[in-house]
Amino acid sequence: MPAEERSWWGWGTTDGELSKEESDALVARTSGVLPGHDFTDHPPPDPADLDLPAPRIRPPATLAALCGDGPVDRLSHARGKAFRDVVRNLLGRLDHVPDLVARPRTEQDVVDLLDWCTASGTPLIPYGGGSSVVGGVEPRFDGPAVSMDLAGLGEVLEVDTVSRAARIQAGIFGPALEDRLRPLGLTLRHFPQSFAHSTLGGWLATRAGGHFATLATHIDDLTESLRVVTPAGISESRRLPGSGAGPSPDRLFLGSEGTLGVITEAWMRLQDRPVWQVTASVAFERQENAVAATRAIAQSGLYPSNCRLLDPAEAFINAGASVGGGLLLVAFESADHPVDTWLDRALELTAGHGGVVKARRSKNSTGQDSASAWRSSFLRMPYQRDALARRSLIVETFETACTWDGFPEFHDAVTSAARAAIDAVCGGAGVITCRFSHVYPDGPAPYYGIYAAGRWGSTVAQWDEIKAAVSEAIAVHGGTITHHHAVGRDHRPWYDRQRPDPFAAAITAAKSALDPAGILNPGVLIG
Amino acid sequence: MPAEERSWWGWGTTDGELSKEESDALVARTSGVLPGHDFTDHPPPDPADLDLPAPRIRPPATLAALCGDGPVDRLSHARGKAFRDVVRNLLGRLDHVPDLVARPRTEQDVVDLLDWCTASGTPLIPYGGGSSVVGGVEPRFDGPAVSMDLAGLGEVLEVDTVSRAARIQAGIFGPALEDRLRPLGLTLRHFPQSFAHSTLGGWLATRAGGHFATLATHIDDLTESLRVVTPAGISESRRLPGSGAGPSPDRLFLGSEGTLGVITEAWMRLQDRPVWQVTASVAFERQENAVAATRAIAQSGLYPSNCRLLDPAEAFINAGASVGGGLLLVAFESADHPVDTWLDRALELTAGHGGVVKARRSKNSTGQDSASAWRSSFLRMPYQRDALARRSLIVETFETACTWDGFPEFHDAVTSAARAAIDAVCGGAGVITCRFSHVYPDGPAPYYGIYAAGRWGSTVAQWDEIKAAVSEAIAVHGGTITHHHAVGRDHRPWYDRQRPDPFAAAITAAKSALDPAGILNPGVLIG
């Protein structure tokens, strides 16, 4: 997508921003929940008014054509799109801005840029769509930095329709990829919330979570092989449907977040485009029944494509539904066979736990229900977040995963920590929501939302306190600091506690072998 | 299982060996295929007659009670159970025999043994059930060696029936594990051919393939967390149903084959015991139709528990069926719901490719068919292999995986290489069989069997030539050198070619961090 359409300060594209009417309606709805809050709008500054320091480095002449240092370009690559990133943009805080934005057009350009950065000891941050919500692309360190924007490597190079796989360059964005596959009847079917604004390489480097609520929940599971440029050479794994030949090479690079190399290509497993889709929404009066029903489905071997349990607050805010204990959105899809039998059994399981079916529909049927309302809302959420962030609200999410047996206590601990932090830093004015974004036979991936009343100029610090409190609760009660948002710089302290020490030693040694100058995304995961 | 029941020279237990009647019948059947072969029986030597060198090392007094140096104990830990291992035992070839067999009874014993070996620079080979078919447990190097037999760590420590997971010590054997889980209605449902003679730790260290032909094909997928003793400390990952926090720690140790640490415990994901099971066998006249039908099922999203395509030779030898193109054994199972709908659709797919259903049955129905015949045969195969190995036959398997689009050419290349090698070293007297042991949406895992007429005293060298030829074909044509048999020492040359060089550098560095003295299973994977 042309760079000029992308918002330098907020989510996605400038076209996507809320209209005045939408903003007014959102403010009206929100003020009902947070009465007394000051909803004054704080629009973004003009980048020209920001006192951006001059670049501290220059590329060698051979690479100059690949490198830009325009102020908006540098600003738009300075950080990701977390709440704390957007608010710092709104405040005109510069913090850490890369000196150059490099745009390789070929893999050899990537090699050359890495060689230059290695020789000169210049930190380099691989940048896909820049939708990180964990500080993954921010040069949060002293000294110069190069942001390497991989959007120039955006082609589908080869499609194997028999094995249903494609060799794809890492810089391709979600919509462009699906546009290329659609005429072939194929799809990657990886739809993170950031789908339009993130790249295959970003998904792979961060172990992104996608469309499927069960089975292939992460991009990892859709990966057949990887090609990665490291300072020590190019690593290319073999296209294999399965292997048992030593530890998986791909699993080392999946989740390496730009610290071990730059992913340039991948063979990805594709799906036939679904023909049959059925979905239902099921209401529960009691939360424990909703959780038990969801667990029953997760353990049934039915493998729904969607199995999203919304708590009452989430159901009310984002699906327009009033429920006492929770609203379960469950869906099945197939390119091969009707899936009504699958949904029938899932609904038998929910009925056994007191669930009441509110709606059931098939693909191409018209009409609105809670599931479609929630889906529309889902893609608009980050834009709404930006509109509220401009009005001094703290609107952010965090996510994790835990086992089913531990969930009730875990959930109490996390929400209590969030509540206590909101009380302490926001005077109590706030709402906490929870949904399960993905479910496994052995546990759910809870996804939490926070809506709290902040004070303009302080909302980043307020959020950081809330985030630290919930992260501590997650760490203490055995969850993961991230199920699919990645570690980045924001999660680092808790990641270090979660990661076994010998594994830390092993991966640090692996990094030294692959990136001896330590130029790749310093501060993330390692070092 | 008590050590005395296990065969020191051959597969499994002494009880399992073929009776005289079974051997005679097997020889009669085989001589029909390989007329003119000399079927003279060469029974194993008496271990007392072997000139076993005295141990070159002694344990420190504090560890003496854990260590044995009895001749049969050392002999039975000297190698795995590949054809070339069994024949060398029959020939009384000592090659490399460990000096001590250490049997830790606690995790602290493992730590203490590693400390001693690290301090003294003594190579240590973790040993589970010793069923390796790739030279994984053989001290194939000069100098002393300790074999650490983990059978003393054989308990199920904790069961979480809500999340369906258990904390299990690594030295437990398959039957003991299932005995512990059965009263709870749970099962790990990991049934490699070696099930009775291998341990959880061995499955984890080698990325073993198990019961399920689709989805959770490897033990990897059943693993929730690992506890690993390394010379650099104990690595324990968190129990998580899913995570995106950096590269997966568990995926580094899964498949590490004893080179990075000793797995002592794992939290494993369990299943409810299946209630509904349906199976069918489908015959095809043409191989390409059989493959296309199998691919259609693998890509259908139906996820059969079994989807085993036998070629005509495999179907005839091991399932007693005469087919022109192949016999597909397909099965579904569930603890939650009847699975007839699933099988119905799978059989529609096979019918679309000309498949003819030969038998269909549900769990608990009686009567023999090709599927049950094949399953009985499957568990007896290694014992039959031993009986034939004693009679100068070359009977061995090898396995791989490749993509669907490449399979026809790949299969031709591999079988041509096998045929040419059999022609060259066995004068052409041999049979090659193929089955798909597991199938994926993007490709099958072909499993090959060789039955060839050897010359007593030369069958190891003959097999090694055949194996080198097929391994070369696999490497050149893009397969993996192993789908689930592991790398060990036998696959090392081809593994080194398959493994990306930067990944080799990374994992070598990781080993240096975890095992600085390089004592753990030298020669396997690294170093």
Side-chain angles (χ1 to χ4, degrees):
Chain A
M1 105 189 40
E4 65 271 21
E5 291 184 15
R6 296 171 66 186
S7 172
W8 76 265
W9 67 271
W11 184 256
T13 62
T14 51
D15 285 355
E17 283 180 37
L18 267 58
S19 68
K20 178 162 188 323
E21 291 69 30
E22 287 175 309
S23 292
D24 290 347
L26 178 65
V27 167
R29 285 204 307 278
T30 312
S31 61
V33 185
L34 299 172
H37 177 71
D38 174 7
F39 280 90
T40 302
D41 183 23
H42 301 272
D46 185 333
D49 296 340
L50 299 176
D51 192 18
L52 195 63
R56 291 161 290 185
I57 47 169
R58 293 200 164 280
T62 52
L63 298 175
L66 305 178
C67 297
D69 61 4
V72 176
D73 208 13
R74 290 172 61 203
L75 279 174
S76 67
H77 287 78
R79 45 182 73 119
K81 301 294 183 179
F83 168 78
R84 66 192 309 287
D85 300 331
V86 169
V87 174
R88 286 186 296 157
N89 287 335
L90 291 171
L91 292 168
R93 275 177 54 181
L94 297 176
D95 297 350
H96 303 281
V97 179
D99 298 79
L100 295 176
V101 177
R103 289 192 164 81
R105 291 175 295 226
T106 65
E107 188 179 82
Q108 187 58 47
D109 290 344
V110 175
V111 172
D112 293 342
L113 286 161
L114 282 185
D115 284 349
W116 167 52
C117 288
T118 295
S120 61
T122 309
L124 180 146
I125 298 178
Y127 184 100
S131 65
S132 171
V133 292
V134 293
V137 295
E138 179 177 349
R140 207 178 294 168
F141 44 76
D142 295 333
V146 175
S147 178
M148 184 161 70
D149 185 323
L150 289 144
L153 298 174
E155 293 299 315
V156 174
L157 301 173
E158 210 174 331
V159 180
D160 168 0
T161 56
V162 177
S163 314
R164 299 193 320 192
R167 183 161 72 95
I168 308 167
Q169 286 188 305
I172 200 166
F173 281 80
L177 172 57
E178 291 296 332
D179 287 347
R180 281 293 309 272
L181 299 176
R182 194 175 297 109
L184 302 168
L186 294 168
T187 169
L188 181 63
R189 226 158 163 63
H190 179 75
F191 302 125
Q193 197 173 28
S194 63
F195 172 71
H197 315 296
S198 55
T199 64
L200 173 62
W203 303 337
L204 293 164
T206 60
R207 301 178 68 187
H211 169 74
F212 294 102
T214 66
L215 291 181
T217 56
H218 288 79
I219 194 77
D220 314 30
D221 306 308
L222 306 176
T223 306
E224 197 176 66
S225 73
L226 293 180
R227 190 170 161 96
V228 187
V229 177
T230 81
I234 294 177
S235 179
E236 180 167 17
S237 58
R238 216 169 260 223
R239 278 190 69 191
L240 293 171
S243 181
S248 163
D250 294 342
R251 297 278 182 173
L252 179 68
F253 292 108
L254 289 165
S256 61
E257 303 191 16
T259 63
L260 302 181
V262 179
I263 299 166
T264 53
E265 289 179 16
W267 273 96
M268 299 302 298
R269 299 182 179 123
L270 306 176
Q271 324 272 324
D272 291 320
R273 302 183 68 80
V275 175
W276 289 274
Q277 288 177 300
V278 290
T279 183
S281 49
V282 185
F284 294 87
E285 278 310 301
R286 298 178 56 196
Q287 188 204 28
E288 65 197 66
N289 286 354
V291 171
T294 307
R295 174 165 73 88
I297 294 173
Q299 297 181 338
S300 67
L302 292 166
Y303 307 123
S305 53
N306 191 13
C307 190
R308 211 176 280 272
L309 178 61
L310 315 183
D311 79 353
E314 179 77 27
F316 183 74
I317 295 174
N318 287 314
S322 289
V323 292
L327 183 73
L328 179 64
L329 311 181
V330 60
F332 293 87
E333 63 177 50
S334 174
D336 180 72
H337 47 262
V339 279
D340 304 276
T341 302
W342 281 246
L343 183 58
D344 289 345
R345 176 56 190 156
L347 295 181
E348 280 179 16
L349 288 168
T350 61
H353 293 278
V356 175
V357 176
K358 306 305 282 185
R360 175 175 176 152
R361 67 184 167 85
S362 300
K363 186 184 183 182
N364 301 331
S365 65
T366 53
Q368 280 287 314
D369 59 18
S370 297
S372 60
W374 192 87
R375 181 167 165 71
S376 306
S377 178
F378 177 65
L379 294 174
R380 294 295 287 159
M381 281 177 198
Y383 290 110
Q384 295 175 348
R385 183 226 25 207
D386 288 356
L388 295 173
R390 288 165 58 147
R391 291 164 177 86
S392 309
L393 268 87
I394 298 162
V395 184
E396 186 54 295
T397 63
F398 60 96
E399 38 84 70
T400 182
C402 61
T403 52
W404 289 111
D405 74 317
F407 174 71
E409 188 189 343
F410 179 87
H411 180 68
D412 281 351
V414 170
T415 51
S416 297
R419 171 57 55 204
I422 291 170
D423 286 350
V425 300
C426 304
V431 176
I432 305 162
T433 67
C434 179
R435 62 180 187 262
F436 292 165
S437 65
H438 303 78
V439 293
Y440 300 88
D442 52 338
Y447 196 103
Y448 294 92
I450 301 276
Y451 301 79
R455 294 177 304 280
W456 187 247
S458 299
T459 55
V460 170
Q462 288 174 301
W463 165 250
D464 285 351
E465 285 203 42
I466 297 166
K467 173 76 175 176
V470 298
S471 298
E472 185 66 24
I474 286 170
V476 168
H477 290 85
T480 177
I481 193 59
T482 177
H483 173 265
H484 61 268
H485 276 177
V487 175
R489 291 170 175 84
D490 296 350
H491 285 149
R492 183 68 193 276
W494 299 278
Y495 170 68
D496 284 357
R497 284 162 59 183
Q498 174 176 338
R499 177 174 59 180
D501 287 342
F503 180 72
I507 198 163
T508 301
K511 180 177 171 76
S512 296
L514 297 179
D515 175 25
I519 57 158
L520 283 167
N521 217 359
V524 168
L525 297 181
I526 303 157
Chain B
M1 109 190 36
E4 64 271 21
E5 291 183 15
R6 295 171 66 184
S7 171
W8 76 265
W9 67 272
W11 184 257
T13 62
T14 53
D15 286 355
E17 281 179 39
L18 266 58
S19 67
K20 177 160 186 329
E21 292 68 29
E22 287 175 309
S23 293
D24 291 347
L26 178 64
V27 167
R29 284 204 306 279
T30 311
S31 59
V33 185
L34 299 173
H37 177 71
D38 173 7
F39 280 91
T40 303
D41 183 22
H42 302 270
D46 184 334
D49 296 339
L50 300 175
D51 190 19
L52 196 63
R56 292 160 289 186
I57 46 168
R58 295 201 163 279
T62 51
L63 299 174
L66 305 178
C67 297
D69 60 5
V72 176
D73 208 11
R74 290 172 59 204
L75 278 175
S76 68
H77 287 77
R79 44 183 75 118
K81 300 294 182 180
F83 168 78
R84 67 192 311 285
D85 301 331
V86 168
V87 174
R88 287 184 296 157
N89 287 334
L90 291 171
L91 292 168
R93 275 178 53 182
L94 296 175
D95 298 347
H96 303 281
V97 178
D99 298 79
L100 296 175
V101 177
R103 289 192 164 81
R105 291 175 296 227
T106 65
E107 187 178 83
Q108 187 58 46
D109 290 344
V110 175
V111 173
D112 293 343
L113 286 160
L114 280 185
D115 284 349
W116 166 53
C117 288
T118 295
S120 61
T122 309
L124 179 145
I125 298 178
Y127 185 101
S131 65
S132 171
V133 291
V134 292
V137 297
E138 178 177 351
R140 208 178 293 168
F141 44 76
D142 295 331
V146 175
S147 178
M148 183 160 73
D149 185 324
L150 289 145
L153 298 174
E155 292 299 314
V156 174
L157 300 172
E158 210 172 331
V159 180
D160 167 2
T161 56
V162 177
S163 314
R164 302 195 316 196
R167 183 160 71 93
I168 309 167
Q169 286 187 305
I172 199 166
F173 281 80
L177 172 57
E178 291 296 331
D179 287 347
R180 281 293 309 273
L181 299 176
R182 194 174 297 109
L184 302 168
L186 294 168
T187 169
L188 181 62
R189 226 158 164 61
H190 179 76
F191 302 124
Q193 196 174 28
S194 63
F195 172 72
H197 315 296
S198 56
T199 64
L200 173 62
W203 303 336
L204 294 165
T206 60
R207 302 179 67 189
H211 168 74
F212 294 103
T214 67
L215 290 181
T217 55
H218 288 81
I219 194 77
D220 313 31
D221 307 307
L222 307 175
T223 305
E224 197 176 67
S225 73
L226 294 180
R227 191 170 160 94
V228 187
V229 177
T230 81
I234 295 176
S235 179
E236 180 168 17
S237 59
R238 217 169 259 221
R239 276 190 71 190
L240 294 171
S243 181
S248 163
D250 293 343
R251 297 278 181 173
L252 179 67
F253 293 108
L254 288 164
S256 61
E257 303 191 17
T259 62
L260 301 180
V262 179
I263 298 166
T264 53
E265 288 180 15
W267 273 96
M268 299 303 296
R269 299 183 179 124
L270 306 176
Q271 325 271 323
D272 292 320
R273 301 182 69 78
V275 175
W276 289 274
Q277 289 176 300
V278 290
T279 185
S281 48
V282 184
F284 294 86
E285 279 309 302
R286 299 178 55 197
Q287 188 203 30
E288 66 197 66
N289 287 354
V291 171
T294 307
R295 174 166 74 89
I297 294 174
Q299 297 182 338
S300 67
L302 291 166
Y303 305 122
S305 52
N306 190 13
C307 188
R308 212 174 281 269
L309 177 61
L310 315 183
D311 78 356
E314 178 77 27
F316 182 75
I317 295 174
N318 287 313
S322 289
V323 292
L327 184 72
L328 178 65
L329 311 181
V330 59
F332 293 87
E333 62 177 49
S334 174
D336 180 71
H337 47 264
V339 279
D340 304 276
T341 302
W342 281 247
L343 183 58
D344 290 345
R345 175 57 190 156
L347 295 181
E348 280 179 15
L349 289 169
T350 61
H353 293 276
V356 176
V357 176
K358 306 305 283 186
R360 175 175 175 152
R361 66 182 168 85
S362 299
K363 187 184 183 182
N364 299 331
S365 65
T366 53
Q368 279 285 316
D369 60 19
S370 297
S372 60
W374 192 87
R375 181 168 165 72
S376 306
S377 176
F378 178 64
L379 295 173
R380 294 294 287 161
M381 282 176 198
Y383 291 110
Q384 295 175 348
R385 189 259 333 245
D386 289 356
L388 294 173
R390 288 165 59 147
R391 291 164 176 87
S392 309
L393 268 86
I394 298 162
V395 184
E396 185 54 296
T397 64
F398 60 95
E399 37 85 69
T400 181
C402 62
T403 53
W404 289 112
D405 73 318
F407 173 71
E409 188 189 345
F410 179 87
H411 179 68
D412 280 352
V414 170
T415 51
S416 298
R419 171 57 54 205
I422 291 170
D423 286 350
V425 300
C426 303
V431 175
I432 305 162
T433 67
C434 179
R435 61 181 187 264
F436 293 165
S437 64
H438 304 78
V439 292
Y440 301 87
D442 51 338
Y447 196 102
Y448 294 92
I450 302 276
Y451 301 78
R455 296 176 302 279
W456 188 247
S458 299
T459 56
V460 170
Q462 289 174 301
W463 166 249
D464 285 350
E465 284 202 45
I466 298 167
K467 173 76 175 175
V470 298
S471 297
E472 185 66 23
I474 287 171
V476 168
H477 289 85
T480 177
I481 192 59
T482 176
H483 173 265
H484 62 269
H485 276 178
V487 175
R489 292 172 174 83
D490 296 349
H491 285 149
R492 183 67 191 277
W494 298 279
Y495 170 68
D496 283 357
R497 285 162 58 183
Q498 174 176 338
R499 177 173 60 178
D501 287 341
F503 181 71
I507 199 162
T508 301
K511 179 175 171 77
S512 295
L514 297 179
D515 175 25
I519 57 159
L520 283 167
N521 217 0
V524 169
L525 298 182
I526 303 157

